Amino acid sequence: MIKGQDNDIKQECRDHIFNTYARFPVTFVKGEGCRLWDDSGKEYLDFLAGIAVCSLGHCHPELTRVIAENAHRLIHVSNLFYTYPQVELAVELTRLCFADKVFFCNSGAEANEAAIKLARKYSWERFGRGRFHIITMKESFHGRTLATLSATGQTKVHNGFEPLVEGFTFVDFGSIAAVEAAITEKTCAVLVEPVQGEGGLNFPAAGYLKELKALCGQKGLLLIFDEVQSGMGRTGTLFAHEQENVVPDIMTLAKALANGLPIGAMLATEEVATAFGPGTHASTFGGGPLITSVALAALRIISEPSFLEGVRETGSYFRARLEELRARYPFVASIRGRGLMIGMELTVPGAKFVQKCLDRGTVINCTHDTVLRFVPPLVVSRIEIDRLIGILDGIFAEEAR
Ligand code: PLP
């Protein structure tokens, strides 16, 4: 296969890789900061960041240095032994949030799988058998393993994989009454994204998460926050739940944790974490020394108060610029966002705008059919935002004609 001969790679991909992704006809070969280049040398502005993953931009020099240094030192030994970067990352993560303990894995789905298992095990030990149901939200997304797709409140994710894992009940996101009505003697936990990402960038009303915590407290349920997408500075605080002044019992992370290398983490309070002992859960690759050294370096940058303040400021600027478009184009229904997790709800399907942006050298994405999603690297500049706004303006003007 010869690099640069575009048809070859598409054909080879069709011939040899499972057909599980609808891919755009672009082959990326290089990235730097908020820019990507395809194999014809065309430059793109990246407002997707690998779906909220490359938060420090592509090939961040410090992270690349840490990758190279640790690739020379130690890549893998298994969790039968101690390694310094894994423990240092856990110390730093727990210092920065409510949690006392961390379990490392390799993806968001695995982190949620671990959280579901932990909630069941904790409840089994504390209350006995049969109390294993988890309330989750409609339009949520928690992953593609069997348990996490069963926990996901979208039938399109379930179709064809039934019977699903037993014990998940879906309620309206944002409604405390709906959660209250769904609680039974079998319920052990509530699982919720503080901000729904894949479900269309849905932000619950202020106070919702706090009320949820109070309700869980009253009923003896664990509260699990899936911060796989909303965490790691994406919304302008290290974790989105900080802005609601509430902490969960369990939290899951992945995506931006190592800026593009695969890692997931499940964090919990000491009390809840004790339900897992040796032999209850494991991962061969989870928390290996290479990946955790990169995650630690990324965390040190992202958790700096001045960095997070920058995310909030850039996010406000970006939303204000998107609001200008909303004021001018009637098919833009609303702008929703916090920090640099921003959605633009349209009254028409968004796919054609994504394609047109790509044609003009800009990567964005559409979720839930009508919501354009902007999750750029957190280091995006105002100049880059202005360029995107100019491109969207041109595309929208064509549509309005
Ligand atoms: N949870 C949330 C909130 C997500 O947005 C995603 C992925 O988009 C996942 C879980 C699954 O993560 P992964 O694709 O790493 O398994």
Side-chain angles (χ1 to χ4, degrees), residues 107-109 112 141-143 193 198 226 228-229 255:
S107 67
N112 285 327
F141 186 80
H142 299 296
E193 294 157 86
E198 302 306 300
D226 177 345
V228 166
Q229 192 162 151
K255 285 200 180 277

Side-chain angles (χ1 to χ4, degrees), residues 119 122-123 126-127 131 133 135 179-180 182-190 212-224 249:
Y122 175 80
S123 188
R126 213 174 148 166
F127 302 100
R131 195 175 178 276
H133 285 197
I135 295 171
V179 175
E180 208 162 0
I183 295 170
T184 70
E185 72 286 352
K186 289 186 172 174
T187 310
C188 71
V190 176
L212 210 47
K213 172 82 178 186
L215 181 61
C216 287
Q218 268 168 34
K219 305 280 181 184
L221 310 179
L222 295 177
L223 182 60
I224 309 169
D249 302 290

Side-chain angles (χ1 to χ4, degrees), residues 33-353:
C34 297
R35 292 177 301 163
L36 288 165
W37 286 267
D38 72 12
D39 57 354
S40 73
K42 180 176 165 184
E43 186 181 319
Y44 296 77
L45 198 53
D46 185 8
F47 273 78
L48 184 59
I51 319 183
V53 168
C54 305
S55 285
L56 293 173
H58 297 281
C59 300
H60 187 283
E62 169 62 5
L63 300 188
T64 299
R65 188 193 63 74
V66 171
I67 291 169
E69 189 182 296
N70 286 277
H72 282 289
R73 184 178 292 140
L74 187 66
I75 294 177
H76 177 80
V77 288
S78 95
N79 282 308
L80 298 177
F81 305 95
Y82 297 95
T83 55
Y84 280 101
Q86 180 181 106
V87 179
E88 280 167 16
L89 177 61
V91 168
E92 193 62 4
L93 277 171
T94 52
R95 187 180 72 77
L96 291 164
C97 73
F98 71 95
D100 303 302
K101 292 275 171 70
V102 188
F103 175 85
F104 289 111
C105 51
N106 312 286
S107 67
E110 280 184 49
N112 285 327
E113 190 81 26
I116 292 163
K117 279 182 70 177
L118 182 64
R120 283 186 171 200
K121 184 75 167 29
Y122 175 80
S123 188
W124 186 78
E125 285 188 354
R126 213 174 148 166
F127 302 100
R129 258 176 204 286
R131 195 175 178 276
F132 63 92
H133 285 197
I134 298 179
I135 295 171
T136 80
M137 306 301 147
K138 291 179 187 165
E139 310 305 338
S140 59
F141 186 80
H142 299 296
R144 298 281 191 166
T145 62
L146 200 52
T148 58
L149 77 83
S150 300
T152 291
Q154 301 189 47
T155 44
K156 69 177 183 210
V157 174
H158 300 160
N159 289 341
F161 298 108
E162 294 87 353
L164 302 181
V165 171
E166 202 188 332
F168 295 99
T169 312
F170 308 110
V171 303
D172 286 334
F173 183 53
S175 166
I176 294 294
V179 175
E180 208 162 0
I183 295 170
T184 70
E185 72 286 352
K186 289 186 172 174
T187 310
C188 71
V190 176
L191 167 61
V192 62
E193 294 157 86
V195 181
Q196 286 190 336
E198 302 306 300
L201 282 288
N202 303 320
F203 294 79
Y208 168 70
L209 296 178
K210 220 171 178 174
E211 281 185 58
L212 210 47
K213 172 82 178 186
L215 181 61
C216 287
Q218 268 168 34
K219 305 280 181 184
L221 310 179
L222 295 177
L223 182 60
I224 309 169
F225 286 164
D226 177 345
E227 291 240 26
V228 166
Q229 192 162 151
S230 60
M232 305 315 298
R234 176 55 53 192
T235 67
T237 45
L238 189 55
F239 306 112
H241 69 256
E242 290 170 33
Q243 292 172 52
E244 293 294 319
N245 237 345
V246 59
V247 294
D249 302 290
I250 303 173
M251 170 170 75
T252 54
L253 299 174
K255 285 200 180 277
L257 191 49
N259 208 53
L261 296 188
I263 183 170
M266 178 197 53
L267 299 91
T269 59
E270 176 71 39
E271 195 212 330
V272 177
T274 50
F276 268 2
T280 48
H281 200 52
S283 164
T284 295
F285 294 120
L290 172 66
I291 204 141
T292 46
S293 52
V294 179
L296 184 60
L299 179 63
R300 286 198 170 126
I301 299 170
I302 290 177
S303 62
E304 273 296 317
S306 59
F307 182 90
L308 292 166
E309 196 184 322
V311 175
R312 294 194 290 276
E313 279 171 14
T314 311
S316 302
Y317 177 77
F318 194 180
R319 287 198 303 280
R321 299 261 21 222
L322 289 169
E323 282 291 352
E324 289 170 24
L325 296 178
R326 189 186 63 80
R328 297 223 312 280
Y329 298 104
F331 51 84
V332 178
S334 67
I335 309 296
R336 302 191 282 268
R338 210 170 285 158
L340 284 164
M341 187 168 183
I342 304 176
M344 173 186 261
E345 172 102 49
L346 305 174
T347 58
V348 293
K352 72 176 159 195
F353 298 113

